[in-house]
Amino acid sequence: MSGASGFSLFKRRNRSIIPGFGLTLGITLTHLTLIVLIPLAALMIRPWDIGLSGFWHQVTEPRVLAALRLSFGAAFVAAAINAVFGLAVAWMLVRYDFWGKRVVDAIVDLPFALPTAVAGIALTALYAPNGWVGQFLDPLGIKVAYTPLGVVVALTFIGLPFVVRTVQPVLEELDTELEEAAACLGATRLETFIRVIFPVIFPALLTGFALALARAVGEYGSVIFIAGNMPMVSEIAPLLIVIKLEQFNYAGAASVGIAMLILSFIMLLVINLLQRWSRRWAGV
Amino acid sequence: MSGHAPKSRVTLAEPGWVKALIMLAGLGFLGFFILLPLAAVFTEALRRGFGPYFEALVEPDALAAIKLTLLVAVIAVPVNVVFGVSAAWAIAKHKFPGKSLLLTLIDLPFSVSPVISGLVYVLLFGAHGLMGPFLREHGVQIVFAVPGLVLATMFITFPFVARELIPLMQAQGVDEEEAAITLGASGWQTFRRVTLPNIRWGLLYGVLLCNARAMGEFGAVSVVSGHIRGETNTMPLHVEILYNEYNFVAAFAVASLLAILALVTLVAKSLLEWRHGAELAATARRH
């Protein structure tokens, strides 16, 4: 850590007369280092037991690759579903008046507040072949619980609030004058939406998509109940970490963990670039 | 928002069928993914009536799980409050280089899988972990014991209070605090009398979200708990064990308590947003 000289260096640049800077920054950095940084460093150095080739060997096991593919693939599909329906929910909450709107608005945040294990067993009960929803899907030959489709359902649930909550404030602040102008100039409603509204809300939509995606990739609690956890088929990457830990394969568990972090980082970087590009394109 | 429909002659409304379609998609989506799961929890819990429901809640292992969940939250939440307020004070009221790096680091736990959050502590304190041999020599057990649960919960809930307070305190600026200091108040007096009243609702909002997550966390605590019944099982872990034993009524009974906690959190959070929306303005809808 930076130590006493570090603090005085900070202090010299800080011309505020408000006291407590050293103390509060000290508490912040200490807590951050002890709770977050040192443990994460432990994750980063662990695979060195087995070397780079050992790390590569661990993460290219077919079972690990299948799990990573499922985690990232299902998370992507779930985030896409959330982008479409989340936009509809946000639009409905901002533009339409209906009875019980405030309650509907509040209940959108339920996936943030409901423990993931509870969501997991509830969704499994619903989508099991004899469940409320499953009994209608089963005769159609659609199996949701204990298949990769179940993983998508669980990941859709936990990512649901992100798109709504990022698009909603942008829609609220959107100036209707622009839409009026477009309509006056003869644009149809659909044209107005595509040419005027969508470019403005697209960056927010992308942010919501990225947040839902990032959350879904690492999700564990809600998925393991509904997934059935068959190796190579419906086994997610976080579960594989748990399994490797139970086998005392610490280096293997850490390798999968690092692979997940690296992939998430690359994914978010791409989305970030896409967002910057779309902002410039929309001129906002 | 709603209510101020434009008085202009051009129409800004979608055709009726489009509106119906959007409403159907929105409400249908929320119905399937939010209302149905919620209803399923309570129906499954009461499947055999109130007798077995309450039995499942007062059974010793369930009571131990409830107690442990409360204990973990009672330690983790206040620690995160102290950290959150400190971080917000340092970041919002002062200028220093490296601020955005610090903000990124504070957000880090949000972007890490809960399982990885548990994993890092096993790698550090587990039997084969970096400090494992040292801890065994001194007879200290962290992983598969209560300290591990507390640490993993603190990691997961680390950013909640800070993320609520930092934008709020940044938006409020430093004028009031500077006036108080100029008039001779001490730093602590300034915080107690000036800053705290300004941020109390934002703080409560952060504590609510932090607490809900602390009590409901599953992935991270599952990795460090070791699943010792009656000893290291929090409520969400107890739900898992009962469910895997095909004791569905009991599993959903304990789950219903957690669902009630979630609903109470949502109601309190909505009340805060409706009553004190302006005082939360900088932070509302961030989570």
Side-chain angles (χ1 to χ4, degrees):
Chain A
M1 261 181 54
S2 32
S5 60
F7 281 103
S8 62
L9 181 114
F10 277 144
K11 215 161 213 165
R12 220 174 296 136
R13 307 229 186 135
N14 171 27
R15 283 182 216 90
S16 169
I17 61 160
I18 297 172
F21 177 65
L23 176 72
T24 53
L25 190 68
I27 293 175
T28 307
L29 291 180
T30 309
H31 195 59
L32 181 72
T33 311
L34 290 180
I35 298 293
V36 179
L37 298 183
I38 291 179
L40 279 180
L43 172 73
M44 289 304 169
I45 58 178
R46 188 68 202 206
W48 294 120
D49 296 1
I50 51 175
L52 200 59
S53 64
F55 170 81
W56 190 247
H57 180 71
Q58 289 285 342
V59 299
T60 50
E61 256 176 52
R63 194 171 163 192
V64 174
L65 285 180
L68 286 173
R69 208 176 300 134
L70 176 66
S71 269
F72 282 84
F76 193 85
V77 175
I81 294 174
N82 269 320
V84 174
F85 287 94
L87 178 59
V89 172
W91 186 272
M92 175 180 93
L93 288 174
V94 174
R95 292 297 173 97
Y96 302 150
D97 271 317
F98 53 93
W99 188 83
K101 182 167 154 175
R102 278 184 141 187
V103 177
V104 173
D105 193 353
I107 204 101
V108 166
D109 281 334
L110 185 80
F112 285 154
L114 192 70
T116 51
V118 178
I121 62 170
L123 290 170
T124 312
L126 283 177
Y127 289 94
N130 58 349
W132 290 351
V133 183
Q135 61 180 329
F136 297 108
L137 298 176
D138 202 43
L140 303 173
I142 304 172
K143 296 213 186 310
V144 178
Y146 320 123
T147 70
L149 210 54
V151 179
V152 173
V153 167
L155 296 183
T156 307
F157 171 83
I158 55 127
L160 192 149
F162 289 102
V163 171
V164 181
R165 292 309 186 217
T166 47
V167 172
Q168 202 176 6
V170 180
L171 268 181
E172 273 167 9
E173 276 168 33
L174 190 67
D175 204 344
T176 46
E177 277 176 22
L178 284 175
E179 293 169 49
E180 283 173 39
C184 285
L185 293 170
T188 65
R189 192 65 189 143
L190 184 65
E191 281 170 339
T192 310
F193 181 80
I194 294 173
R195 300 266 181 98
V196 178
I197 302 173
F198 194 72
V200 179
I201 58 174
F202 185 66
L205 193 64
L206 213 51
T207 305
F209 175 84
L211 290 171
L213 184 62
R215 174 74 209 269
V217 163
E219 178 56 18
Y220 174 71
S222 58
V223 178
I224 54 163
F225 295 98
I226 200 170
N229 307 327
M230 269 179 299
M232 304 296 297
V233 178
S234 59
E235 190 178 58
I236 53 166
L239 177 66
L240 211 52
I241 294 180
V242 174
I243 291 173
K244 283 186 186 288
L245 266 185
E246 279 166 359
Q247 297 164 341
F248 296 104
N249 182 0
Y250 281 22
S255 302
V256 178
I258 291 174
M260 281 181 68
L261 287 182
I262 293 174
L263 287 174
S264 307
F265 179 75
I266 293 172
M267 202 172 62
L268 292 180
L269 200 69
V270 170
I271 291 173
N272 219 325
L273 290 175
L274 202 63
Q275 206 169 18
R276 208 170 282 176
W277 169 78
S278 77
R279 280 231 169 83
R280 201 179 309 150
W281 177 62
V284 265
Chain B
M1 280 253 306
S2 59
H4 44 80
K7 291 177 198 74
S8 59
R9 288 140 304 280
V10 295
T11 168
L12 285 182
E14 293 79 45
W17 64 271
V18 175
K19 183 179 168 180
L21 206 65
I22 294 175
M23 292 281 290
L24 191 71
L27 291 177
F29 185 57
L30 294 180
F32 263 92
F33 280 95
I34 290 191
L35 284 187
L36 274 184
L38 208 51
V41 172
F42 291 100
T43 337
E44 294 289 330
L46 295 169
R47 184 154 286 236
R48 302 233 176 82
F50 282 95
Y53 176 78
F54 286 113
E55 253 166 54
L57 296 183
V58 296
E59 173 251 340
D61 286 344
L63 283 181
I66 294 171
K67 253 185 238 158
L68 183 58
T69 300
L70 293 176
L71 175 70
V72 168
V74 159
I75 302 172
V77 175
V79 170
N80 277 333
V81 167
V82 171
F83 159 75
V85 172
S86 299
W89 183 270
I91 290 172
K93 305 288 179 191
H94 299 88
K95 289 194 186 81
F96 58 93
K99 204 187 256 190
S100 58
L101 175 67
L102 185 57
L103 280 171
T104 312
L105 290 178
I106 289 175
D107 269 347
L108 210 53
F110 273 158
S111 45
V112 172
S113 166
V115 168
I116 296 181
S117 322
L119 168 71
V120 292
Y121 288 105
V122 178
L123 294 177
L124 206 53
F125 300 124
H128 303 275
L130 283 178
M131 295 179 65
F134 174 83
L135 290 174
R136 199 169 43 231
E137 238 165 66
H138 293 79
V140 184
Q141 178 127 34
I142 293 182
V143 171
F144 307 146
V146 178
L149 296 175
V150 175
L151 282 172
T153 307
M154 283 209 278
F155 184 103
I156 287 284
T157 55
F158 183 78
F160 278 92
V161 178
R163 286 311 284 167
E164 251 3 275
L165 290 184
I166 291 168
L168 183 63
M169 281 166 72
Q170 275 177 334
Q172 285 169 349
V174 293
D175 296 352
E176 289 181 41
E177 280 82 3
E178 280 179 351
I181 301 282
T182 316
L183 292 171
S186 71
W188 178 243
Q189 281 173 324
T190 309
F191 174 74
R192 279 276 314 277
R193 305 270 180 88
V194 179
T195 312
L196 198 56
N198 278 339
I199 61 167
R200 60 188 163 171
W201 299 118
L203 185 59
L204 186 58
Y205 195 91
V207 167
L208 266 176
L209 298 177
C210 182
N211 181 62
R213 188 69 198 264
M215 289 189 171
E217 178 51 30
F218 178 78
V221 290
S222 154
V223 174
V224 294
S225 133
H227 304 277
I228 308 164
R229 247 187 132 127
E231 274 181 52
T232 62
N233 264 349
T234 60
M235 283 163 78
L237 299 175
H238 192 55
V239 169
E240 184 197 17
I241 288 194
L242 292 171
Y243 190 86
N244 287 343
E245 289 171 351
Y246 301 102
N247 191 351
F248 293 138
V249 168
F252 278 99
V254 179
S256 76
L257 282 190
L258 290 167
I260 291 170
L261 169 76
L263 289 175
V264 169
T265 304
L266 275 193
V267 169
K269 174 178 164 298
S270 305
L271 284 179
L272 275 180
E273 280 168 9
W274 296 339
R275 297 249 175 97
H276 305 284
E279 288 149 89
L280 301 168
T283 62
R285 303 208 187 288
R286 288 295 288 269
H287 288 286

